[in-house]
Structures are given as C-alpha cells and as structure tokens.
Amino acid sequence: MPANLPPPAAAPEPCVRVRDYSLWYGDFQALKNITCDFPYRRVTALIGPSGCGKTTMLRSLNRINERYGNVRTSGRIVFQRPNPLPIPIRDNIVFGLRSHLPARELSKSFLDEVVESALRQTGLWDALKDRLAHGATELTLEQQQRLCIARLLPLKPAVILMDEPCSALDAEGIGHVEALVDSLKDTYTFLIVTHSMAQARRVSDDCIYMLMGELVEHRPTADLFGSPHDPRTAMYVEGRYG
C-alpha cells in the first residue's frame, strides 16, 4: 500500500453476533440458519413481508422465545458489551433497586434525577413534569411510545429492540419517534422491525431483508435500497412483492 494512503477502515465491532441460528415452533421452522452481526451504535432495520421471521428474530435476541415450551433452537447468539463502556452501567432500578444499588443512592433526589434525565432525553420533561403521578394511559400514543423508551434509559442498555414502534402513530408522532432514535443512536444500538420501507430508509444505517425465515440480504441501507444484490430484495424494495 502506498505510504501516503490511509489504512482501510476497520469494520464496525459487532454488538451482537448471530451464528447459524435456527428456530422451530413445534415442527415449523421459522428461522433458517441466520448468520449476521449487529454493530455498536448503529440503527439496523429488519424488513420483509408478514411472516418472514422479523419479529421472531427480534424476540430471539432478548430470549422471549425461550419462554414457550414448543420452541427449540440451534446455533448461537452472542451479546458483547463495548469495552470500555461508553456510558455508566446501573442495575435495573425498577425491579432490583434495593438489592442492587447502594443505600446512599436510594434517596428521593437521586430517583428524581434519574426520572428527569430520562424524560429530558426523550423530549417529555416539559409535558410531563407536572403530571408524574398520573397514569401513562392518559398520555397520547406518541407520548406513551416515547415513555417506553424513557423507561429503558436509566438501565443503560447497550441495545434497544423495537418492534413496529410507530405502527399506531400519525405522521407527526412518527417524525418525533424517529428523531428520538436518531438523537440516541450515538450512545445506543437500535434494532428495529418495521413494515414501512420508507421508515427503514429514513431511520436506519443498515438494513436486513428477510423472506420465509431466511436472511436474504444484509447491507448498508442506502446500498440495499439503491443496488440490491439479490433479485428477491429488489422485488420487495421496488414494491413488486409483499
């Protein structure tokens, strides 16, 4: 390599590694030999027609599928936290507060600070600061969705999984949630299932197209939509299938 040229950029370090992963519901195989990496601090969208395995893949990453007796799997899913961590880690302050946090951190002022910080990060503080004792069902659908994200932030997750986060929202609400994801992606890794190809193009850095339980194509979003390698991907993103 000529001395005056910079070295090639290293591939983003994966936050989650999936290797030859398959899943069955009883005798039905819902995922077929999935292998992919999800890099740190990027937004990956999973797209494909209904029943293609998007949500099953997402549910596999947070181990929800393991709760069902008729599910069996093969292969591996490995989660890796960044080293060093870009953000401080606290244990689950909702369910494990008294057993996991030092007593000095259990003060009301500390809890108020955590709540305020999370609501400010999600753009909810001004709207909710005088309504903190009210039920969440009194909020608009958009506020409820943003509140779901706010509740995660004190736990300092490395990965946030979202399944159709904007499906019930109007255009304004969709814009607010997408802007929130964009504002947080330098700190958190997002994996988003969406039926909206327009949303996938707007919000994601990388995109996975799935079909009938198979991972067909996984590329940077602009490349997958602009010049898909697989004709099945081309048919879907061009609206000729699904």
Side-chain angles (χ1 to χ4, degrees):
M1 178 183 296
N4 61 337
L5 292 180
E13 186 179 1
C15 182
V16 181
R17 294 180 182 272
V18 182
R19 293 293 180 269
D20 199 27
Y21 182 78
S22 297
L23 181 144
W24 291 262
Y25 294 116
D27 294 330
F28 173 71
Q29 187 170 4
L31 294 176
K32 303 172 184 177
N33 307 109
I34 305 294
T35 293
C36 60
D37 289 338
F38 299 103
Y40 290 115
R41 294 182 288 280
R42 289 176 71 85
V43 179
T44 300
L46 284 74
I47 65 171
S50 297
C52 70
K54 305 184 299 294
T55 294
T56 296
M57 186 70 248
L58 205 69
R59 290 161 64 95
S60 295
L61 296 174
N62 65 358
R63 305 181 69 176
I64 287 180
N65 290 322
E66 296 178 18
R67 299 174 60 185
Y68 302 102
N70 67 332
V71 170
R72 60 188 177 91
T73 65
S74 65
R76 299 181 66 208
I77 297 177
V78 179
F79 170 74
Q80 303 177 128
R81 285 194 177 275
N83 186 24
L85 286 165
I87 49 179
I89 291 293
R90 292 192 186 278
D91 287 306
N92 187 331
I93 69 164
V94 178
F95 298 110
L97 187 61
R98 296 191 178 280
S99 59
H100 294 296
L101 290 180
R104 61 181 173 80
E105 294 193 351
L106 295 179
S107 66
K108 183 178 185 299
S109 61
F110 165 73
L111 296 179
D112 288 346
E113 179 184 336
V114 168
V115 170
E116 180 176 344
S117 174
L119 294 179
R120 285 191 183 279
Q121 283 184 271
T122 50
L124 288 168
W125 178 248
D126 289 338
L128 301 187
K129 62 183 179 182
D130 297 323
R131 304 174 58 193
L132 298 181
H134 291 222
T137 55
E138 299 178 22
L139 305 179
T140 68
L141 290 176
E142 177 205 331
Q143 289 174 329
Q144 290 181 38
Q145 190 62 285
R146 289 158 69 187
L147 183 61
C148 288
I149 299 172
R151 292 175 64 185
L152 296 173
L153 301 187
L155 311 184
K156 303 300 183 185
V159 183
I160 295 177
L161 309 178
M162 307 177 81
D163 193 355
E164 298 287 355
C166 300
S167 61
L169 304 184
D170 59 18
E172 183 179 6
I174 290 171
H176 288 158
V177 171
E178 290 180 357
L180 176 57
V181 170
D182 188 65
S183 72
L184 294 173
K185 72 177 186 180
D186 288 339
T187 303
Y188 303 97
T189 300
F190 283 88
L191 307 180
I192 299 178
V193 166
T194 178
H195 276 97
S196 169
M197 288 185 286
Q199 181 174 72
R201 296 183 77 159
R202 289 192 302 265
V203 77
S204 68
D205 302 298
D206 304 297
C207 198
I208 289 176
Y209 173 58
M210 297 185 67
L211 181 65
M212 298 179 67
E214 297 182 3
L215 191 159
V216 175
E217 194 160 342
H218 182 188
R219 301 176 66 203
T221 299
D223 296 338
L224 185 141
F225 280 93
S227 55
H229 286 168
D230 194 294
R232 294 171 294 176
T233 308
M235 289 182 65
Y236 185 76
V237 301
E238 292 168 7
R240 295 184 285 127
Y241 176 79

